[in-house]
Amino acid sequence: LFTKGNHDIWGAGGKEAFARVFHPFLTEEARAISPSAPTVTSGRYTVEYANCQFAFFDAYDAPASLEWLEAVAARRTAEHLFVVIHPPVVPYGARSTWTIWADEKDRPKREKLMYILGQQRALVLAGHLHRYCALGRRTPRGRFAQFALSTVLQSAEPQPQLERSGLKDYNGDLVNVEAKFSPQTEPLRRQLFEAEKPSITSFDFADLPVWAVVTADGPSVKIDMFSGLGRKLYRRVDFTGLLG
């Protein structure tokens, strides 16, 4: 199962090919987990397993997905709500403009999304930036947590680079982890980090390709990350612990 990313729909005919190929595939995969899962007809769909509900958010049809997520949240009965989205909700790394609705004109939609995630104490799984990050974020309606990773390998046994940890490291200087990226946008990217900083409750970051296992055990959700292609544990994240 996966959530739609930008590379899945780029190019002429990309959206049509996604629908033709992946809607039937995702329907089949979802029903293997939950036989009553409905037919997938877009990039947004839900799957329930044990005490968890996974809401796959289509960031490339975002306004419709926001209304859909609000309805999903209103009907939720599962203990844990995972929101699976390709671009991150909360900025990290150097590319703070690469989050969903980062533009000032989209602030109302972004704030509504934050409120839904906070009210639901959601667990967000994201990607797009090709960096590992785990963080907690407060909203006026509660907290949510975000986890993202990279699987882009340069070697079978990579070593962690550019590690940052703790609230002291969440600031505008994060643009320096990719110092050569888009220098003309650096002031804006710094500004976005500084605006976000008061709402961040925890932060951990590294440039390290990993694979991860998410384990939900009753009220507890933990993530074990293993570097490269091996079985060497890099980090265990107490995902629900990030909610406070």
Side-chain angles (χ1 to χ4, degrees):
L1 291 166
F2 64 92
T3 193
K4 184 193 289 182
N6 52 307
H7 290 282
D8 297 320
I9 56 170
W10 270 0
K15 293 181 179 180
E16 293 78 9
F18 183 93
R20 185 178 68 252
V21 175
F22 287 118
H23 289 175
F25 171 78
L26 291 170
T27 298
E28 182 178 352
E29 293 295 295
R31 288 177 178 167
I33 297 170
S34 178
S36 62
T39 301
V40 175
T41 58
S42 75
R44 49 187 173 268
Y45 60 100
T46 62
V47 173
E48 292 200 32
Y49 182 74
N51 63 338
C52 301
Q53 182 177 36
F54 298 85
F56 293 81
F57 189 101
D58 185 351
Y60 304 95
D61 188 10
S65 294
L66 183 60
E67 293 183 8
W68 168 84
L69 182 63
E70 187 174 29
V72 167
R75 297 191 303 267
R76 169 193 171 184
T77 58
E79 183 172 10
H80 303 296
L81 175 63
F82 291 83
V83 176
V84 191
I85 180 171
H86 186 68
V89 174
V90 182
Y92 68 94
R95 307 187 183 198
S96 56
T97 54
W98 284 27
T99 55
I100 188 169
W101 289 315
D103 196 292
E104 178 63 26
K105 66 179 173 55
D106 292 321
R107 178 183 290 273
K109 292 191 284 287
R110 174 177 170 78
E111 288 184 350
K112 183 175 181 179
L113 176 59
M114 295 292 184
Y115 289 168
I116 294 171
L117 297 175
Q119 189 173 50
Q120 296 294 315
R121 292 175 62 81
L123 303 170
V124 178
L125 300 175
H128 196 45
L129 302 187
H130 299 178
R131 300 289 189 275
Y132 152 67
C133 180
L135 57 79
R137 207 251 194 212
R138 68 169 63 88
T139 79
R141 297 186 184 176
R143 295 187 183 188
F144 68 90
Q146 175 180 282
F147 175 83
L149 55 71
S150 169
T151 56
V152 180
L153 287 166
Q154 302 296 328
S155 67
E157 298 181 358
Q159 299 300 311
Q161 307 289 329
L162 303 170
E163 290 179 300
R164 304 286 188 274
S165 188
L167 295 181
K168 68 183 188 309
D169 286 336
Y170 193 93
N171 56 55
D173 288 340
L174 280 170
V175 300
N176 295 328
V177 300
E178 284 187 85
K180 295 182 180 180
F181 174 76
S182 187
Q184 70 275 15
T185 66
E186 180 178 327
L188 173 59
R189 289 183 288 121
R190 283 183 175 273
Q191 177 184 341
L192 291 172
F193 279 124
E194 294 298 339
E196 195 74 12
K197 183 175 181 177
S199 299
I200 302 301
T201 58
S202 59
F203 176 66
D204 197 44
F205 170 89
D207 183 0
L208 178 68
V210 301
W211 58 277
V213 177
V214 182
T215 303
D217 183 8
S220 173
V221 178
K222 292 183 169 58
I223 302 177
D224 288 339
M225 292 179 290
F226 303 86
S227 59
L229 298 177
R231 294 183 176 273
K232 181 180 179 181
L233 182 69
Y234 169 66
R235 194 84 92 235
R236 169 170 283 183
V237 174
D238 182 354
F239 206 4
T240 43
L242 298 179
L243 299 173

